[in-house]
Amino acid sequence: MTTFSTPAVTPSGHGPDELVPAPAPRIALPKAAPDFYKAMIALDAAARAGLDPVVAELVKARASQVNGCAYCVDQHTADARKLGVTEQKLNGLTVWRETPFFTARERAALALAEAVTRLGEHGVPDDVYDEAARVFDEDELPRLIAMCVTINAWNRIGITTRMSPAPRPDGI
């Protein structure tokens, strides 16, 4: 009979049940470039103005998932929870096309966010843009586009500087 034992310490130098820290941050932009950081905050506020807060957080969370920005995924899913978005909906965000958890407006926003985030050589497809234009009015659509652009900028900041979320005591 072969037995397997769990090593006391993993190759990373941590016990098998210990949390492994994220890579060390590179630079703190709020301190290193406070004028730029303040401008980003203002850009985010301008994009958000007049946009449904739930749609905004879903867009931010989904674009952050696509980009792989751990800090922003953590932040925006937490913000969505505060707005009353359910765990089931947040868990379904990565597979939103296959779930019944999202409204037509949320689906159009998520499709646009993914198209802007994955901007390929052919740009945003007409059908994706047209659906967003159909369900968002003339005041909301430019804000939605601005939100997609802004969260992608934030993601690039977070990834480049290695921003990392802190574990929450409640795990939520």
Side-chain angles (χ1 to χ4, degrees), residues 6-137:
T6 304
V9 177
T10 63
S12 65
H14 297 89
D17 296 324
E18 289 181 71
L19 295 178
V20 177
R26 290 181 168 146
I27 188 171
L29 281 185
K31 291 180 183 174
D35 55 338
F36 168 77
Y37 205 77
K38 287 177 186 172
M40 280 299 300
I41 291 169
L43 181 65
D44 191 83
R48 227 182 16 249
L51 191 59
D52 175 350
V54 169
V55 168
E57 292 306 328
L58 292 174
V59 162
K60 291 178 191 182
R62 183 63 188 133
S64 299
Q65 289 172 336
V66 171
N67 284 323
C69 184
Y71 182 87
C72 292
V73 168
D74 183 72
Q75 179 66 51
H76 298 299
T77 55
D79 290 347
R81 281 183 198 93
K82 290 176 189 170
L83 293 171
V85 177
T86 65
E87 285 299 313
Q88 186 177 38
K89 191 173 214 171
L90 289 174
N91 291 336
L93 195 52
T94 59
V95 290
W96 62 269
R97 285 179 179 87
E98 288 80 34
T99 70
F101 311 144
F102 299 91
T103 67
R105 288 169 51 86
E106 291 166 345
R107 287 175 177 278
L110 292 169
L112 185 62
E114 286 183 2
V116 171
T117 300
R118 294 179 171 136
L119 200 56
E121 66 181 77
H122 300 292
V124 174
D126 287 339
D127 63 324
V128 170
Y129 181 87
D130 291 346
E131 180 61 14
R134 187 181 73 73
V135 297
F136 288 93
D137 69 31

